[in-house]
């Protein structure tokens, strides 16, 4: 039986990212707890917990990426099962929080799905949630349970510092990403540039202009997620046309839908640096894509929670 600070705990993995869950368990020096996930003939999800959780602090690893609805429903069903099995606390490790892009009403009669999902998670019975780089920080306020939103930026910055790139300029792909880009620029002691982007419709981007100097420099584009990579391809090509010597990109969440990998391979990008918040199948593997692990960071978060220590000290750690 695993214990930290005299607290019994277990780590479960659902279907979305078992490799990351295994890394977290390995860092904690434990085995993953056993559960089985099956489907009824009509597709309904059934979860069976195969060992006792009564009185345990339970951690469930499940990012809600593609297939978003399946992974989200798995998570909700698991939380309900744990609640009914008398788990002491139900702590969700959701490195990628699906539906986060709809965090406000941009137009009339639009939903706020980030809030809807928060309501569903709370109603199911979760007592805490850990995430990585929420699309919008205000999503934390959609919950009435504790939320720890960890940062991948120190891990990404450490990787680029070790590459020892010369004449670096950090590039925000749009005005909304300027804060994130400025933070990376501070880590790398580099100047900042901002792409003036227009998005006429979802997953379509047009570069209208560039604020800052990139000629003769190594450009590093930073974003929180990359979906179809249309913005990334357009931005990298625009930076090359404006004289950038090399173009790298970095993001926390590699969604990489549809033509994303082809676009990355056919762009002027040297490399896309990302994390393993989302597990990439073989079709999404590419020599241009480098994944960094967040398993150690999330395992440390589990230790801090069980030891009743603040997790804020982990937000800036890069190892």
């Amino acid at each position: 039986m695993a214990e930290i600070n005299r607290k019994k705990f277990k780590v479960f993995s659902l279907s979305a990212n078992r490799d990351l869950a295994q890394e977290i368990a390995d860092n904690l020096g434990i085995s993953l707890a056993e559960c089985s996930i099956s489907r009824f003939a009509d597709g309904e999800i059934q979860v069976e917990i195969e060992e006792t959780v009564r009185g345990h602090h339970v951690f469930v690893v499940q990012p809600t990426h593609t297939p978003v609805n399946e992974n989200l429903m798995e998570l909700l069903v698991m939380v309900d099962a744990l609640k009914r099995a008398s788990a002491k606390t139900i702590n969700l490790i959701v490195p990628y929080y699906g539906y986060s892009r709809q965090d406000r009403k941009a137009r009339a009669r639009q939903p706020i799905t980030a809030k809807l999902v928060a309501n569903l998670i709370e109603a199911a019975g979760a007592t805490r949630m850990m995430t990585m780089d929420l699309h919008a920080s205000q999503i934390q306020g959609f919950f009435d349970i504790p939320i720890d939103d960890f940062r991948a930026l120190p891990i990404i910055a450490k990787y680029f510092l070790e590459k020892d790139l010369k004449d670096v300029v950090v590039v925000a792909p749009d005005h909304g990403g300027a804060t994130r880009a400025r933070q990376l620029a501070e880590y790398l002691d580099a100047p900042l540039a901002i792409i003036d982007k227009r998005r006429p419709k979802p997953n379509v981007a047009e570069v209208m202009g560039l604020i800052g100097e990139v000629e003769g420099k190594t450009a590093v584009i930073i974003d929180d997620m990359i979906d179809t990579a249309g913005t990334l391809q357009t931005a990298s090509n625009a930076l090359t046309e404006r004289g950038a010597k090399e173009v790298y990109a970095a993001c926390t969440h590699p969604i990489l839908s549809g033509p994303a990998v082809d676009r990355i391979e056919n762009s002027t990008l040297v490399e896309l640096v990302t994390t393993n918040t989302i597990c990439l199948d073989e079709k999404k593997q590419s020599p241009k894509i480098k994944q960094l692990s967040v398993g150690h960071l999330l395992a440390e978060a589990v230790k801090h929670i069980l030891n009743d220590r603040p997790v804020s000290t982990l937000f800036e750690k890069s190892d």
Side-chain angles (χ1 to χ4, degrees), residues 55-158:
H56 286 68
H57 297 272
V58 177
F59 296 82
V60 181
V61 182
Q62 177 80 338
T64 52
H65 56 80
T66 307
V68 180
N69 298 333
E70 286 284 303
N71 288 333
L72 175 60
M73 198 63 203
E74 264 188 26
L75 182 63
L76 297 174
V77 173
M78 179 63 165
V79 171
D80 185 73
L82 290 168
K83 180 176 66 174
R84 295 176 189 279
S86 301
K88 189 175 184 66
T89 63
I90 303 169
N91 307 273
L92 308 185
I93 301 177
V94 185
Y96 173 71
Y97 180 74
Y99 284 106
S100 62
R101 283 173 284 189
Q102 298 178 68
D103 56 31
R104 66 193 188 283
K105 286 185 67 172
R107 297 177 183 174
R109 297 176 295 281
Q110 284 189 334
I112 304 178
T113 54
K115 170 61 174 168
L116 172 62
V117 171
N119 291 345
L120 291 171
I121 288 172
E122 286 190 18
T127 52
R128 187 184 199 105
M129 192 170 82
M130 289 180 275
T131 67
M132 295 286 301
D133 286 323
L134 283 169
H135 186 62
S137 59
Q138 68 262 25
I139 293 173
Q140 295 175 77
F142 295 171
F143 289 84
D144 291 322
I145 58 174
I147 303 295
D148 299 308
D149 183 27
F150 293 97
R151 300 284 179 261
L153 198 62
I155 297 171
I156 292 169
K158 181 182 179 184

Side-chain angles (χ1 to χ4, degrees), residues 182-224:
R182 187 178 297 111
Q183 291 170 347
L184 180 60
E186 290 173 357
Y187 273 107
L188 303 183
D189 192 23
L192 176 68
I194 302 173
I195 291 174
D196 182 19
K197 180 184 74 176
R198 183 173 68 91
R199 191 182 291 280
K201 57 184 178 179
N203 296 122
V204 176
E206 297 176 359
V207 172
M208 307 300 291
L210 178 68
I211 303 168
E213 183 57 55
V214 300
E215 187 171 358
K217 296 181 179 293
T218 300
V220 178
I221 305 168
I222 178 73
D223 211 343
D224 64 327

Side-chain angles (χ1 to χ4, degrees), residues 258-277:
V261 174
D262 288 339
R263 285 174 172 173
I264 290 167
E265 291 179 341
N266 294 325
S267 72
T268 58
L269 278 179
V270 175
E271 187 176 50
L272 167 62
V273 180
T274 185
T275 76
N276 62 341
T277 58

Side-chain angles (χ1 to χ4, degrees), residues 1-12 24-25 27-30 55-60 87-93 127-128 130 148 150 297-311 314:
M1 180 176 65
E3 286 192 14
I4 291 179
N5 193 23
R6 296 184 178 180
K7 294 177 180 177
K8 300 180 293 182
F9 76 99
K10 292 185 176 183
V11 177
F12 287 89
I24 294 170
N27 275 280
L28 292 169
I30 64 171
H56 286 68
H57 297 272
V58 177
F59 296 82
V60 181
K88 189 175 184 66
T89 63
I90 303 169
N91 307 273
L92 308 185
I93 301 177
T127 52
R128 187 184 199 105
M130 289 180 275
D148 299 308
F150 293 97
L297 173 63
L298 294 172
E300 285 298 308
V302 171
K303 293 178 186 177
H304 278 236
I305 289 168
L306 293 172
N307 281 312
D308 299 320
R309 293 166 57 196
V311 298
L314 299 174

Side-chain angles (χ1 to χ4, degrees), residues 43-59:
E44 287 183 11
I45 294 167
Q46 182 179 33
V47 172
E48 292 190 20
I49 301 166
E50 298 178 2
E51 51 192 84
T52 184
V53 294
R54 182 178 295 274
H56 286 68
H57 297 272
V58 177
F59 296 82

